[in-house]
Amino acid sequence: MLGPGDDAAVVGAPDGRVVVSTDLLIEGRHFRRDWSSGYDVGRKAAAQNLADVAAMGAVPTSLVVGLGVPADLPLEWLDGLTDGFRDECAVVGASVAGGDITRCDLVVIGVTALGDLGGRAPVTRSGARPGQVVAVAGRLGYAAAGWALLEAGVPENPVLEEVVVAHRRPGPPYAMGPGAAELGASAMLDVSDGLLQDLGHVAEASGVRIELDPRAFAVGEPVSVAAKELGVDPLEWVLTGGEDHALAAVFPSEVRLPPSWQVVGRVVEGEGVLVHGREIGRRGWDHFR
Amino acid sequence: MLGPGDDAAVVGAPDGRVVVSTDLLIEGRHFRRDWSSGYDVGRKAAAQNLADVAAMGAVPTSLVVGLGVPADLPLEWLDGLTDGFRDECAVVGASVAGGDITRCDLVVIGVTALGDLGGRAPVTRSGARPGQVVAVAGRLGYAAAGWALLEAGVPENPVLEEVVVAHRRPGPPYAMGPGAAELGASAMLDVSDGLLQDLGHVAEASGVRIELDPRAFAVGEPVSVAAKELGVDPLEWVLTGGEDHALAAVFPSEVRLPPSWQVVGRVVEGEGVLVHGREIGRRGWDHFR
């Protein structure tokens, strides 16, 4: 409604409530300029916040960005970043409403996304109840596979490209967020730290146990190919890899889910997240195997 | 409505629009840990964004914060920062709705403030018209005087304390923002970079000239004392000092302004900001004198 250039932007909030999510991305920690272009970083930074908004059951409406940039940052990198923000926003019909830019010795990106609930109740992490089912929409393990390939220095090639691109530009299933809310999801979040860890937040906030059946996961073909290349178990990426920003939601068992949602487990009484009936502890996946 | 702990927060936006402002503060550039406590930095970081929201004529409702912190940051500094955010929000009846924390080699603070217009039109920078008057509410030159004292290494003493505290905790006149909108202000901003520079934005956005009468400025007693201590002209701090987050607004000449607003100039046809009939150019105040 009023964009960049004033003290503040004005954004429509027809619902009378606004959903707001903020993240800080630091060069060297959340992205590497030798691995990702400015455009990719813009897409990714926008995606992770827009996905947070979608995971509440809201439709993202706008983004505001605070940028810290070194004096020697190439202008084309900054232009790419801006284009990336714009294009990722366009995917959901949102726009960049405003921002702030300042000097900093490294690239720092503060992203805040706003969204509208359209009359729906927000879908939090605390609504999972025993007897409900756990389902995921979107990709799992892709970004982790891409990161592993880049870290291992595997030369890029067409067969492996899809997971590397997934690392650079997540592509969350935004529309599934409000869609899940309409279907009656009782809890939801976006998978940013890995499915096991993120479902652990749902289990804790809801006071329940979540049991996953790893046989239920359809491991993506590109993830399998990358796993073979590196000689690892692809299921590890699927269960512990973050940054794909898939959506994980809990539904009453009677809800008829469309095929975009894959049922991967169920909610029972208790605590923690169990795979094959065993809890993945602090020592992680390797120890569990 | 829904605070920290989920993917995103939910904030009331009864107006159906939401005002949003974001800033990135970098250690060493926007604050120094040897000059300001964590608490002071929290107050100041919150204040500058809450003031941006107030300068649109809105009432601030909430703040979200993205934090980058070094591993060796003392916990009490972080606690102080959090307390500072909370206390500055409390001044306007707002609250901290959510945030994100990550590691970074230096302290980086991304602050986003939201506000509600309560049915009023946003007061932008582009509404100044010839024949109107320019007025300011709040303090001018205090923070600049405090910064100059700290930079000069003047030992802190009770007489000079007020300006040093003003540098650390600005104390913007928040309520005057929505108040100005109610009075019929046609343009407004908060003074963050210095009155001359900020009014330059109003002049440019509105396509007008602003003429200031420096004799109209009541130089604060603590600013005069600090100026005497350092042997400088206090009016320089008043006209070019930023960070007090006073509000500068343009009103139709027939509006009867309450005493909290001090008329300091008028809007005429033309461009730029003139003091004593002369424009302060890029070479700044010293050259002008």
Side-chain angles (χ1 to χ4, degrees), chain A residues 25-33 70 73 105-108:
Chain A
L25 288 87
I26 314 279
E27 178 179 0
R29 175 164 295 271
H30 299 100
F31 60 91
R32 286 174 53 163
R33 277 199 270 155
L73 185 75
D105 289 341
L106 68 177
V107 179
V108 175

Side-chain angles (χ1 to χ4, degrees), chain A residues 99-273:
Chain A
D100 173 48
I101 190 161
T102 187
R103 285 265 170 268
C104 187
D105 289 341
L106 68 177
V107 179
V108 175
I109 307 171
V111 184
T112 303
L114 305 182
D116 193 77
L117 284 162
R120 294 175 293 275
V123 185
T124 69
R125 300 174 174 192
S126 59
R129 297 291 173 261
Q132 297 185 323
V133 300
V134 179
V136 294
R139 302 186 297 193
L140 289 171
Y142 280 64
W147 188 86
L149 288 173
L150 287 168
E151 199 190 35
V154 174
E156 293 191 39
N157 70 63
V159 179
L160 299 174
E161 192 186 357
E162 190 171 346
V163 294
V164 173
V165 170
H167 163 74
R168 293 183 175 133
R169 302 179 202 167
Y174 298 114
M176 302 295 130
E182 301 277 6
L183 286 166
S186 66
M188 181 159 52
L189 45 59
D190 80 304
V191 181
S192 50
D193 297 323
L195 187 66
L196 292 181
Q197 190 173 331
D198 285 320
L199 285 179
H201 299 315
V202 172
E204 190 178 351
S206 300
V208 297
R209 167 173 292 173
I210 289 174
E211 290 183 347
L212 295 178
D213 178 2
R215 289 164 303 191
F217 289 90
V219 177
E221 178 65 17
V223 175
S224 296
V225 172
K228 204 167 181 180
E229 174 78 24
L230 296 182
V232 303
D233 181 352
L235 202 57
E236 178 174 349
W237 289 333
V238 169
L239 291 178
T240 68
E243 302 205 327
D244 281 309
H245 302 287
L247 294 171
V250 176
F251 296 93
S253 58
E254 66 273 19
V255 171
R256 291 175 65 120
L257 291 172
S260 46
W261 287 95
Q262 186 184 359
V263 174
V264 295
R266 61 195 188 112
V267 181
V268 298
E269 292 191 3
E271 58 183 27
V273 179

Side-chain angles (χ1 to χ4, degrees), chain B residues 154-252:
Chain B
V154 175
E156 293 192 38
N157 70 61
V159 179
L160 299 174
E161 193 186 355
E162 190 171 347
V163 293
V164 172
V165 169
H167 163 73
R168 293 182 175 135
R169 302 178 202 168
Y174 299 114
M176 302 295 129
E182 300 278 6
L183 286 166
S186 65
M188 180 159 52
L189 45 58
D190 80 304
V191 181
S192 49
D193 297 324
L195 187 66
L196 292 182
Q197 190 173 330
D198 286 319
L199 285 179
H201 299 316
V202 172
E204 191 178 351
S206 301
V208 297
R209 168 173 290 173
I210 290 174
E211 290 183 347
L212 295 179
D213 178 2
R215 289 163 303 190
F217 288 91
V219 176
E221 178 65 17
V223 175
S224 296
V225 173
K228 203 166 181 181
E229 175 78 24
L230 295 182
V232 302
D233 181 350
L235 202 57
E236 178 173 349
W237 288 334
V238 168
L239 291 178
T240 67
E243 302 206 325
D244 281 310
H245 301 288
L247 293 171
V250 176
F251 295 93

Side-chain angles (χ1 to χ4, degrees), chain B residues 19-20 30 40 51 122 188 199 214 234:
Chain B
V19 172
V20 55
H30 300 100
D40 289 339
M188 180 159 52
L199 285 179

